[in-house]
Amino acid sequence: MTNTSKGIIFLILSAFSFAAMALFVRLAGEINFIEKAFFRNAVALVIALGFLIREGREKGWESVAIPKGALIFLFIRATAGSIGIFGNFYAIDRLVLSDAAILNKMSPFFAILFSIFLMKEKVRLVPMLAITGAFLGAMLVVKPSFNFTQTLPTLAGFIGGMGAGLAYACVRKLSSLKCNGKVIVLFFSVYSCLLSVPHMIMHWEPLNTYQLTVLILAGVWAACGQFAITAAYFHAPAREISIYDYSQIIFSASFGFFIFGMVPDWMSLTGYAVIISMALLNFWWNNKNHSQK
């Protein structure tokens, strides 16, 4: 199996995990978005710390040391990732859900854009056409109204998508510096939790047992998504695999159907077909290029 194929598998697993996370965040009800973000990252922090300690004991602490030159990109990744989460959660609470979703799905575009500068990666015509097609397919699924009278939430959602894209590009850069993936997840989780603490102290909203359980489950799935997406961009460049991030829309639609009884309309079904077709086109093109090398 090529590194690109591994990257695709990890990214699809990540998409499923983040769709599950969004499901549990939705089930948690009306809770402040900062509090939701805190629980999303706190669980990932505990899991990443446990994995990191185990690896350090088994393989030696040098295996989890931060490589030279990686610290600056860890900070950029953590800052960009935190902006991505806060912006997305803020938009979800204040915009039409479909608008927030399409703004968040700007992240693959920004992942490719930032990878050009960080990794000097070249973007070719077919992958760019495939990503553009997938984005248009995503618009058919979420059917955004683009009623952007609320400028701040809209800007927050857009910046959130940009932040996520920069974070994914930094993961790719960190992979080239041989930074341990568990270190990346732990650093980001600690950083994001610390950013949430001041607001949590001033605006804490008590949780009942159900809400606490649901948010912990959201955190578990978020941790799975983080580890998977980190592994994905370790194995392959954004231009080759970022399109598969759109599979999250299909997973979310499935959860909506089986749990909330939401039946996709013809536009959604057309969008699914476009997304899958673009993913297949991109996969075929990359396989063809690999075989010619």
Side-chain angles (χ1 to χ4, degrees), residues 34-46 78 82 85-86 185-201:
I34 296 289
E35 201 164 331
K36 290 179 179 179
F38 175 83
F39 278 94
R40 177 206 185 281
N41 292 307
V43 177
L45 189 160
V46 173
S82 298
I85 292 174
F86 295 148
V185 174
L186 179 63
F187 194 98
F188 163 64
S189 300
V190 171
Y191 186 95
S192 189
C193 283
L194 289 175
L195 286 181
S196 304
V197 168
H199 188 278
M200 295 266 292
I201 293 174

Side-chain angles (χ1 to χ4, degrees), residues 58-245:
E58 292 178 352
K59 299 181 179 180
W61 295 107
E62 65 278 0
S63 67
V64 296
I66 297 176
K68 183 179 179 180
L71 189 59
I72 181 63
F73 292 105
L74 283 171
F75 272 109
I76 296 173
R77 186 266 180 270
T79 303
S82 298
I83 291 172
I85 292 174
F86 295 148
N88 185 32
F89 280 34
Y90 185 85
I92 287 172
D93 283 346
R94 290 163 176 79
L95 288 178
V96 176
L97 190 59
S98 57
D99 288 349
I102 200 67
L103 289 169
N104 185 249
K105 286 305 162 191
M106 292 299 293
S107 58
F109 291 93
F110 286 112
I112 292 175
L113 179 63
F114 288 120
S115 290
I116 295 172
F117 297 102
L118 293 178
M119 299 294 295
K120 309 301 181 184
E121 294 177 353
K122 296 180 180 179
V123 181
R124 298 184 181 180
L125 180 61
V126 173
M128 184 54 69
L129 288 176
I131 290 171
T132 303
F135 182 76
L136 295 175
M139 292 184 68
L140 287 173
V141 175
V142 299
K143 294 174 283 294
S145 65
F146 289 103
N147 180 20
F148 292 159
T149 55
Q150 297 175 292
T151 304
L152 183 58
T154 302
L155 184 61
F158 182 81
I159 293 175
M162 182 187 297
L166 176 56
Y168 301 154
C170 284
V171 169
R172 181 67 181 157
K173 178 65 176 180
L174 287 164
S175 73
S176 70
L177 297 173
K178 309 300 181 184
C179 185
N180 190 298
K182 300 177 186 66
V183 172
I184 298 173
V185 174
L186 179 63
F187 194 98
F188 163 64
S189 300
V190 171
Y191 186 95
S192 189
C193 283
L194 289 175
L195 286 181
S196 304
V197 168
H199 188 278
M200 295 266 292
I201 293 174
M202 293 185 291
H203 304 284
W204 171 256
E205 297 180 21
L207 306 175
N208 58 39
T209 303
Y210 168 78
Q211 290 173 319
L212 180 60
T213 302
V214 167
L215 285 178
I216 289 174
L217 289 172
V220 170
W221 280 110
C224 293
Q226 283 237 190
F227 281 112
I229 202 164
T230 299
Y233 286 107
F234 255 59
H235 283 91
R239 69 175 184 272
E240 293 184 1
I241 65 172
S242 59
I243 181 147
Y244 297 92
D245 186 42

